Amino acid sequence: MTSSNGSPFLSVILPVLNEAETVTRQLMALRVFRERGAELVLVDGGSSDGTPALAAPEVDQLIVSARGRAMQMNAGALASQGQVLLFLHADTALPLAADDLIRRAITTGACWGRFDVRIDGRQPLLRVVERMMNWRSRLTGIATGDQAIFVRREVFETVGGYPELPLMEDIALSKRLKRLARPACLRQRVVTSARRWQKHGVLRTILLMWCLRARYFLGADPQQLAILYGYAPRQR
C-alpha cells in the first residue's frame, strides 16, 4: 500500500498520554496495517508511566511533543509520510479492512471522512449514545475524534491542521474541512472504549458533553471547557 514514489498511502497517527495499560494491545491490533504498508506514528505527550518504551518496537516513528491532543496530532502529521492521514485515539480500534475502506473512499473522490462508532460497554444507554453520534455526524457533516477521522494530506495542510485547542479540536477541524467538502461517512464501525462514560456514569457524561458542546458552539473558551471536562491545564 505504497505510492509510485515509495511513500505509504496511509499514515496512522496515534496521540497518547500515560497509556501503558493499553498501548501494547492497541499496537498489536494495528500490526496488520503496518504489514500491509501503512505507516504508524505514535506521538507521546509526556507520559510518566513508560508508554514510549512499550510502544517503540511496534511503531515506525515515535515522537515526543508538547501535551495536548491537537498539538500531538499536528506533530505526527508533520513527521508522517503518508498520502492520507488517519487520526486514531488510543482507546479506539479499527475494523480489519479500515485501510482498504479508506482507500476506496479517497479514490472515489472523498477528501476526508470518518467511520461510524460503536462503544464497547454493555449499558443499554450506550447503544443510544452511539446511534445518536453516528446520526448527528451524518446529518451535520461534523465528526468526532472517536470516529477515526481520515483526510488527504494536502487537504489537511490546506486547512491548517488541527486548531490547537485543549478540547473540541475535532469539531473545529471538521468545520474547516466541511467548508471544502462533506465527509465520507463510512458505515463500518470503529470500536471505542466506554471508559470515559463508565468513570463518571453514562447519563452524567452524556449531559456534560451536550452542555460542553452547546457552550462551545455559543463561543465559550475551550480552555475553560477543558477544565470542566476534567483536563488539567497544560503547563507552559
Side-chain angles (χ1 to χ4, degrees), residues 38-57:
E39 176 187 38
L40 180 53
V41 181
L42 184 137
V43 190
D44 187 77
S47 295
S48 58
D49 66 350
T51 294
L54 292 170

Side-chain angles (χ1 to χ4, degrees), residues 91-93 115-134 136 144 146-147 189-199 202 205-206 209:
D91 59 359
T92 299
F115 291 84
D116 275 1
V117 66
R118 181 170 70 82
I119 304 168
D120 69 0
R122 295 182 178 180
Q123 297 94 326
L125 193 53
L126 291 176
R127 305 288 76 79
V128 177
V129 174
E130 64 193 29
R131 290 189 187 102
M132 289 298 294
M133 288 173 65
N134 296 329
R136 183 184 62 228
T144 68
D146 290 325
Q147 293 175 300
R189 296 188 174 196
V190 296
V191 180
T192 195
S193 171
R195 62 186 179 179
R196 79 168 180 258
W197 285 278
Q198 292 168 339
K199 182 177 180 180
V202 176
T205 303
I206 292 170
M209 292 306 300

